[in-house]
Amino acid sequence: LTFDAIDSWWWPFLFIIVAGWLATDMWRFLGVYLGGRVSSDSEILVLVRAVATALVAGVISSLIVAPSGPLAATPLLLRIAAAAAGFAAYILTGHRILVGIFVGEAILVAGMLLL
Amino acid sequence: MVSRRVAHGDFHPGGDPRFDVRGLRRLGDECGHDDRANGFHDGDDLGIARQGRGAINAGNGIFSAAFAVALSSMRLTPMVVALIPEMRTPRTSKWMLYLVSHFVAVTAWVLALEQMHRVPPERRTVWFLGLGSTLILINMIVVAVIYTLAADLPDALSAALLLLTPLYFVTSLWGSARERAGHVAMISGLLLWPLIHLVLPDFSLLATGVIGGAIAFGYHRHARGKRKRAAT
């Protein structure tokens, strides 16, 4: 039952609803259901928040280690150095996000132009 | 790249809906498979959308396509669970929470964790709805603009734009942590993903979340136990 399997006007829509909407939103709905049973100051919530934070950190890591497009053509060490420098600048300037982003970008672009 | 732009003959707005959807799909394929435009999506949705497009292009069946998308969407559950208790008031309708959950993706999640505590509780669902839909709208515009411009952008500029997302996430995620465990979780996740990706490429994000989260929670319990012992 592929995307082109059934020649009728509704089949692509059904395909998109099942594979594109239901398959992703069911996990969100499960999250709403479970989240409704957790109180906002429980230890379980600390655990769930830790898991979600580590997940998002994994996404960040993948965007730096295995990026797409022209960023993928830059050396891995340069990307890591740029991200680390940006993060260090953010910490050292008392959590200024814009400073962190600026320093990270500057290192990346300087590295690309010099290397 | 210019030659790969959408052939307008494939796209018949207002005609037979079948042509619309299939034309739309081609448009999506073109955008998604163009390396230059790739990556200018929400970091989270990118993987999921890629799974869906990949399944359609590979001619996979509806069930295996749904399975691929479901697998990469599983990670949304803990993200939603972490947000819901902060949005829910005794008067919040359940339907509103289910609606709001559709807008949970990495950018909205990080922003909410960071900023939502400043919003009065009874307005948080509406605030998040506005945030999520604004992000989707901006994202669509950015993808469209980048798609038309990408070929003419210098590499350094494209690369710099692509680095914006991880730089923004890494700083704002640190700032959004409620407790020290959040920082431990973030560092663990950053370091674990490349290692786990080598052994378990299909489950790397999920496994990073579970293992990194367990490390952070272990740290949390340990630190709390220590504080308790010190207090007595």
mmCIF file of all heavy atoms in Angstrom, chain A residues 12-46:
data_model
loop_
_atom_site.group_PDB
_atom_site.id
_atom_site.type_symbol
_atom_site.label_atom_id
_atom_site.label_comp_id
_atom_site.label_asym_id
_atom_site.label_seq_id
_atom_site.Cartn_x
_atom_site.Cartn_y
_atom_site.Cartn_z
ATOM 1 N N PRO A 12 -4.174 9.612 -1.118
ATOM 2 C CA PRO A 12 -3.023 10.370 -0.609
ATOM 3 C C PRO A 12 -3.327 11.066 0.715
ATOM 4 O O PRO A 12 -2.458 11.148 1.586
ATOM 5 C CB PRO A 12 -2.758 11.389 -1.715
ATOM 6 C CG PRO A 12 -3.344 10.793 -2.940
ATOM 7 C CD PRO A 12 -4.534 10.007 -2.485
ATOM 8 N N PHE A 13 -4.568 11.539 0.852
ATOM 9 C CA PHE A 13 -4.924 12.213 2.105
ATOM 10 C C PHE A 13 -4.922 11.229 3.266
ATOM 11 O O PHE A 13 -4.435 11.525 4.360
ATOM 12 C CB PHE A 13 -6.305 12.876 1.990
ATOM 13 C CG PHE A 13 -6.312 14.046 1.049
ATOM 14 C CD1 PHE A 13 -6.825 13.919 -0.227
ATOM 15 C CD2 PHE A 13 -5.781 15.265 1.436
ATOM 16 C CE1 PHE A 13 -6.812 14.986 -1.100
ATOM 17 C CE2 PHE A 13 -5.765 16.344 0.565
ATOM 18 C CZ PHE A 13 -6.287 16.201 -0.709
ATOM 19 N N LEU A 14 -5.474 10.038 3.018
ATOM 20 C CA LEU A 14 -5.499 9.022 4.063
ATOM 21 C C LEU A 14 -4.066 8.639 4.451
ATOM 22 O O LEU A 14 -3.741 8.506 5.632
ATOM 23 C CB LEU A 14 -6.274 7.783 3.584
ATOM 24 C CG LEU A 14 -6.463 6.710 4.667
ATOM 25 C CD1 LEU A 14 -7.441 7.210 5.724
ATOM 26 C CD2 LEU A 14 -6.964 5.403 4.072
ATOM 27 N N PHE A 15 -3.215 8.494 3.432
ATOM 28 C CA PHE A 15 -1.809 8.157 3.666
ATOM 29 C C PHE A 15 -1.164 9.218 4.568
ATOM 30 O O PHE A 15 -0.482 8.896 5.545
ATOM 31 C CB PHE A 15 -1.072 8.075 2.319
ATOM 32 C CG PHE A 15 0.275 7.424 2.397
ATOM 33 C CD1 PHE A 15 0.448 6.098 2.000
ATOM 34 C CD2 PHE A 15 1.369 8.127 2.870
ATOM 35 C CE1 PHE A 15 1.694 5.498 2.066
ATOM 36 C CE2 PHE A 15 2.615 7.533 2.947
ATOM 37 C CZ PHE A 15 2.777 6.210 2.544
ATOM 38 N N ILE A 16 -1.424 10.487 4.226
ATOM 39 C CA ILE A 16 -0.811 11.564 5.001
ATOM 40 C C ILE A 16 -1.370 11.597 6.423
ATOM 41 O O ILE A 16 -0.632 11.783 7.390
ATOM 42 C CB ILE A 16 -1.024 12.925 4.287
ATOM 43 C CG1 ILE A 16 -0.156 12.973 3.026
ATOM 44 C CG2 ILE A 16 -0.681 14.083 5.209
ATOM 45 C CD1 ILE A 16 -0.471 14.131 2.103
ATOM 46 N N ILE A 17 -2.686 11.364 6.553
ATOM 47 C CA ILE A 17 -3.289 11.387 7.887
ATOM 48 C C ILE A 17 -2.701 10.278 8.757
ATOM 49 O O ILE A 17 -2.329 10.512 9.910
ATOM 50 C CB ILE A 17 -4.833 11.260 7.796
ATOM 51 C CG1 ILE A 17 -5.418 12.574 7.291
ATOM 52 C CG2 ILE A 17 -5.421 10.904 9.153
ATOM 53 C CD1 ILE A 17 -6.902 12.518 7.025
ATOM 54 N N VAL A 18 -2.593 9.083 8.204
ATOM 55 C CA VAL A 18 -2.102 7.952 9.005
ATOM 56 C C VAL A 18 -0.604 8.071 9.261
ATOM 57 O O VAL A 18 -0.150 8.031 10.409
ATOM 58 C CB VAL A 18 -2.429 6.604 8.309
ATOM 59 C CG1 VAL A 18 -1.738 5.454 9.030
ATOM 60 C CG2 VAL A 18 -3.930 6.385 8.284
ATOM 61 N N ALA A 19 0.191 8.224 8.193
ATOM 62 C CA ALA A 19 1.641 8.173 8.345
ATOM 63 C C ALA A 19 2.217 9.519 8.771
ATOM 64 O O ALA A 19 3.265 9.576 9.400
ATOM 65 C CB ALA A 19 2.295 7.721 7.036
ATOM 66 N N GLY A 20 1.529 10.607 8.421
ATOM 67 C CA GLY A 20 2.098 11.917 8.705
ATOM 68 C C GLY A 20 1.542 12.568 9.959
ATOM 69 O O GLY A 20 2.233 13.342 10.607
ATOM 70 N N TRP A 21 0.292 12.258 10.294
ATOM 71 C CA TRP A 21 -0.290 12.931 11.450
ATOM 72 C C TRP A 21 -0.470 11.998 12.645
ATOM 73 O O TRP A 21 0.081 12.241 13.718
ATOM 74 C CB TRP A 21 -1.642 13.556 11.061
ATOM 75 C CG TRP A 21 -2.369 14.101 12.238
ATOM 76 C CD1 TRP A 21 -2.046 15.224 12.958
ATOM 77 C CD2 TRP A 21 -3.515 13.529 12.871
ATOM 78 N NE1 TRP A 21 -2.922 15.379 13.989
ATOM 79 C CE2 TRP A 21 -3.831 14.358 13.968
ATOM 80 C CE3 TRP A 21 -4.303 12.389 12.616
ATOM 81 C CZ2 TRP A 21 -4.904 14.081 14.816
ATOM 82 C CZ3 TRP A 21 -5.363 12.132 13.450
ATOM 83 C CH2 TRP A 21 -5.663 12.970 14.536
ATOM 84 N N LEU A 22 -1.198 10.910 12.423
ATOM 85 C CA LEU A 22 -1.480 9.998 13.527
ATOM 86 C C LEU A 22 -0.197 9.448 14.137
ATOM 87 O O LEU A 22 -0.050 9.389 15.360
ATOM 88 C CB LEU A 22 -2.358 8.849 13.009
ATOM 89 C CG LEU A 22 -3.229 8.174 14.045
ATOM 90 C CD1 LEU A 22 -4.188 9.192 14.649
ATOM 91 C CD2 LEU A 22 -4.018 7.029 13.413
ATOM 92 N N ALA A 23 0.746 9.065 13.268
ATOM 93 C CA ALA A 23 1.965 8.412 13.739
ATOM 94 C C ALA A 23 2.799 9.342 14.623
ATOM 95 O O ALA A 23 3.492 8.883 15.518
ATOM 96 C CB ALA A 23 2.807 7.936 12.552
ATOM 97 N N THR A 24 2.726 10.645 14.406
ATOM 98 C CA THR A 24 3.495 11.523 15.286
ATOM 99 C C THR A 24 2.650 12.065 16.437
ATOM 100 O O THR A 24 3.084 12.095 17.567
ATOM 101 C CB THR A 24 4.242 12.652 14.523
ATOM 102 O OG1 THR A 24 4.169 13.852 15.269
ATOM 103 C CG2 THR A 24 3.722 12.875 13.163
ATOM 104 N N ASP A 25 1.392 12.440 16.141
ATOM 105 C CA ASP A 25 0.610 13.057 17.216
ATOM 106 C C ASP A 25 0.167 12.068 18.291
ATOM 107 O O ASP A 25 -0.136 12.466 19.402
ATOM 108 C CB ASP A 25 -0.595 13.808 16.645
ATOM 109 C CG ASP A 25 -0.258 15.282 16.436
ATOM 110 O OD1 ASP A 25 0.913 15.646 16.656
ATOM 111 O OD2 ASP A 25 -1.148 16.069 16.084
ATOM 112 N N MET A 26 0.147 10.765 17.987
ATOM 113 C CA MET A 26 -0.245 9.827 19.042
ATOM 114 C C MET A 26 0.730 9.891 20.224
ATOM 115 O O MET A 26 0.343 9.752 21.367
ATOM 116 C CB MET A 26 -0.358 8.403 18.495
ATOM 117 C CG MET A 26 0.946 7.828 18.013
ATOM 118 S SD MET A 26 0.662 6.177 17.345
ATOM 119 C CE MET A 26 2.319 5.569 17.208
ATOM 120 N N TRP A 27 2.003 10.159 19.915
ATOM 121 C CA TRP A 27 2.988 10.247 21.007
ATOM 122 C C TRP A 27 2.786 11.510 21.822
ATOM 123 O O TRP A 27 3.026 11.536 23.028
ATOM 124 C CB TRP A 27 4.400 10.192 20.448
ATOM 125 C CG TRP A 27 4.698 8.902 19.785
ATOM 126 C CD1 TRP A 27 4.862 8.691 18.439
ATOM 127 C CD2 TRP A 27 4.811 7.613 20.391
ATOM 128 N NE1 TRP A 27 5.084 7.371 18.192
ATOM 129 C CE2 TRP A 27 5.061 6.680 19.368
ATOM 130 C CE3 TRP A 27 4.739 7.161 21.715
ATOM 131 C CZ2 TRP A 27 5.237 5.321 19.617
ATOM 132 C CZ3 TRP A 27 4.910 5.804 21.959
ATOM 133 C CH2 TRP A 27 5.154 4.912 20.912
ATOM 134 N N ARG A 28 2.369 12.581 21.134
ATOM 135 C CA ARG A 28 2.087 13.816 21.877
ATOM 136 C C ARG A 28 0.855 13.627 22.751
ATOM 137 O O ARG A 28 0.815 14.065 23.899
ATOM 138 C CB ARG A 28 1.849 14.969 20.912
ATOM 139 C CG ARG A 28 3.029 15.251 20.011
ATOM 140 C CD ARG A 28 2.630 16.313 18.993
ATOM 141 N NE ARG A 28 3.334 16.121 17.736
ATOM 142 C CZ ARG A 28 4.313 16.910 17.308
ATOM 143 N NH1 ARG A 28 4.676 17.937 18.016
ATOM 144 N NH2 ARG A 28 4.898 16.673 16.168
ATOM 145 N N PHE A 29 -0.167 12.951 22.180
ATOM 146 C CA PHE A 29 -1.392 12.737 22.952
ATOM 147 C C PHE A 29 -1.117 11.855 24.166
ATOM 148 O O PHE A 29 -1.626 12.108 25.259
ATOM 149 C CB PHE A 29 -2.480 12.109 22.068
ATOM 150 C CG PHE A 29 -2.938 13.027 20.959
ATOM 151 C CD1 PHE A 29 -3.668 12.548 19.885
ATOM 152 C CD2 PHE A 29 -2.649 14.384 21.002
ATOM 153 C CE1 PHE A 29 -4.087 13.394 18.873
ATOM 154 C CE2 PHE A 29 -3.058 15.240 19.989
ATOM 155 C CZ PHE A 29 -3.782 14.738 18.924
ATOM 156 N N LEU A 30 -0.263 10.839 23.969
ATOM 157 C CA LEU A 30 0.139 10.011 25.106
ATOM 158 C C LEU A 30 0.823 10.887 26.164
ATOM 159 O O LEU A 30 0.588 10.727 27.363
ATOM 160 C CB LEU A 30 1.092 8.905 24.631
ATOM 161 C CG LEU A 30 1.648 7.987 25.725
ATOM 162 C CD1 LEU A 30 0.543 7.120 26.307
ATOM 163 C CD2 LEU A 30 2.773 7.104 25.185
ATOM 164 N N GLY A 31 1.635 11.831 25.699
ATOM 165 C CA GLY A 31 2.310 12.745 26.615
ATOM 166 C C GLY A 31 1.325 13.603 27.393
ATOM 167 O O GLY A 31 1.502 13.829 28.588
ATOM 168 N N VAL A 32 0.258 14.075 26.733
ATOM 169 C CA VAL A 32 -0.750 14.880 27.422
ATOM 170 C C VAL A 32 -1.448 14.025 28.479
ATOM 171 O O VAL A 32 -1.648 14.445 29.617
ATOM 172 C CB VAL A 32 -1.801 15.440 26.430
ATOM 173 C CG1 VAL A 32 -2.922 16.150 27.175
ATOM 174 C CG2 VAL A 32 -1.132 16.394 25.448
ATOM 175 N N TYR A 33 -1.782 12.785 28.089
ATOM 176 C CA TYR A 33 -2.468 11.890 29.006
ATOM 177 C C TYR A 33 -1.615 11.620 30.248
ATOM 178 O O TYR A 33 -2.066 11.774 31.380
ATOM 179 C CB TYR A 33 -2.812 10.578 28.285
ATOM 180 C CG TYR A 33 -3.421 9.554 29.188
ATOM 181 C CD1 TYR A 33 -4.753 9.651 29.583
ATOM 182 C CD2 TYR A 33 -2.654 8.490 29.674
ATOM 183 C CE1 TYR A 33 -5.309 8.716 30.428
ATOM 184 C CE2 TYR A 33 -3.201 7.549 30.517
ATOM 185 C CZ TYR A 33 -4.529 7.665 30.896
ATOM 186 O OH TYR A 33 -5.072 6.746 31.749
ATOM 187 N N LEU A 34 -0.347 11.256 30.010
ATOM 188 C CA LEU A 34 0.543 10.952 31.139
ATOM 189 C C LEU A 34 0.854 12.217 31.938
ATOM 190 O O LEU A 34 0.885 12.188 33.161
ATOM 191 C CB LEU A 34 1.843 10.319 30.631
ATOM 192 C CG LEU A 34 1.713 8.953 29.970
ATOM 193 C CD1 LEU A 34 3.050 8.512 29.395
ATOM 194 C CD2 LEU A 34 1.197 7.919 30.961
ATOM 195 N N GLY A 35 1.071 13.323 31.221
ATOM 196 C CA GLY A 35 1.398 14.574 31.891
ATOM 197 C C GLY A 35 0.272 15.052 32.793
ATOM 198 O O GLY A 35 0.509 15.747 33.779
ATOM 199 N N GLY A 36 -0.953 14.664 32.454
ATOM 200 C CA GLY A 36 -2.093 15.047 33.271
ATOM 201 C C GLY A 36 -2.123 14.356 34.626
ATOM 202 O O GLY A 36 -2.850 14.762 35.525
ATOM 203 N N ARG A 37 -1.335 13.304 34.763
ATOM 204 C CA ARG A 37 -1.357 12.550 36.015
ATOM 205 C C ARG A 37 -0.129 12.831 36.868
ATOM 206 O O ARG A 37 0.077 12.175 37.890
ATOM 207 C CB ARG A 37 -1.447 11.048 35.733
ATOM 208 C CG ARG A 37 -1.998 10.746 34.378
ATOM 209 C CD ARG A 37 -2.500 9.338 34.285
ATOM 210 N NE ARG A 37 -3.923 9.366 34.053
ATOM 211 C CZ ARG A 37 -4.794 8.569 34.648
ATOM 212 N NH1 ARG A 37 -4.388 7.687 35.509
ATOM 213 N NH2 ARG A 37 -6.068 8.674 34.377
ATOM 214 N N VAL A 38 0.690 13.770 36.446
ATOM 215 C CA VAL A 38 1.911 14.074 37.199
ATOM 216 C C VAL A 38 1.731 15.437 37.854
ATOM 217 O O VAL A 38 1.293 16.374 37.204
ATOM 218 C CB VAL A 38 3.118 14.128 36.232
ATOM 219 C CG1 VAL A 38 4.383 14.445 36.980
ATOM 220 C CG2 VAL A 38 3.263 12.812 35.490
ATOM 221 N N SER A 39 2.052 15.539 39.128
ATOM 222 C CA SER A 39 1.927 16.858 39.740
ATOM 223 C C SER A 39 3.202 17.646 39.486
ATOM 224 O O SER A 39 4.274 17.080 39.262
ATOM 225 C CB SER A 39 1.642 16.732 41.235
ATOM 226 O OG SER A 39 2.845 16.696 41.946
ATOM 227 N N SER A 40 3.059 18.980 39.487
ATOM 228 C CA SER A 40 4.147 19.804 38.968
ATOM 229 C C SER A 40 5.359 19.858 39.903
ATOM 230 O O SER A 40 6.379 20.413 39.541
ATOM 231 C CB SER A 40 3.647 21.215 38.673
ATOM 232 O OG SER A 40 3.094 21.772 39.830
ATOM 233 N N ASP A 41 5.262 19.274 41.103
ATOM 234 C CA ASP A 41 6.449 19.318 41.970
ATOM 235 C C ASP A 41 6.941 17.917 42.346
ATOM 236 O O ASP A 41 7.655 17.741 43.322
ATOM 237 C CB ASP A 41 6.143 20.132 43.243
ATOM 238 C CG ASP A 41 4.872 19.663 43.922
ATOM 239 O OD1 ASP A 41 4.214 18.739 43.380
ATOM 240 O OD2 ASP A 41 4.549 20.199 45.002
ATOM 241 N N SER A 42 6.558 16.908 41.518
ATOM 242 C CA SER A 42 6.942 15.542 41.879
ATOM 243 C C SER A 42 8.343 15.202 41.368
ATOM 244 O O SER A 42 8.879 15.853 40.476
ATOM 245 C CB SER A 42 5.936 14.550 41.310
ATOM 246 O OG SER A 42 6.004 14.560 39.908
ATOM 247 N N GLU A 43 8.909 14.158 41.969
ATOM 248 C CA GLU A 43 10.232 13.687 41.553
ATOM 249 C C GLU A 43 10.185 13.077 40.160
ATOM 250 O O GLU A 43 11.153 13.158 39.405
ATOM 251 C CB GLU A 43 10.736 12.641 42.552
ATOM 252 C CG GLU A 43 11.173 13.220 43.870
ATOM 253 C CD GLU A 43 12.521 13.914 43.763
ATOM 254 O OE1 GLU A 43 13.543 13.227 43.612
ATOM 255 O OE2 GLU A 43 12.534 15.152 43.824
ATOM 256 N N ILE A 44 9.024 12.456 39.831
ATOM 257 C CA ILE A 44 8.880 11.867 38.497
ATOM 258 C C ILE A 44 9.084 12.943 37.443
ATOM 259 O O ILE A 44 9.706 12.716 36.404
ATOM 260 C CB ILE A 44 7.466 11.250 38.330
ATOM 261 C CG1 ILE A 44 7.305 10.026 39.241
ATOM 262 C CG2 ILE A 44 7.208 10.865 36.886
ATOM 263 C CD1 ILE A 44 8.051 8.814 38.771
ATOM 264 N N LEU A 45 8.563 14.130 37.718
ATOM 265 C CA LEU A 45 8.685 15.196 36.736
ATOM 266 C C LEU A 45 10.151 15.607 36.548
ATOM 267 O O LEU A 45 10.562 15.956 35.441
ATOM 268 C CB LEU A 45 7.827 16.398 37.147
ATOM 269 C CG LEU A 45 7.582 17.379 36.012
ATOM 270 C CD1 LEU A 45 6.840 16.741 34.855
ATOM 271 C CD2 LEU A 45 6.813 18.598 36.507
ATOM 272 N N VAL A 46 10.921 15.540 37.630
ATOM 273 C CA VAL A 46 12.363 15.824 37.507
ATOM 274 C C VAL A 46 12.997 14.812 36.556
ATOM 275 O O VAL A 46 13.775 15.177 35.671
ATOM 276 C CB VAL A 46 13.062 15.768 38.894
ATOM 277 C CG1 VAL A 46 14.570 15.972 38.731
ATOM 278 C CG2 VAL A 46 12.483 16.829 39.821
#
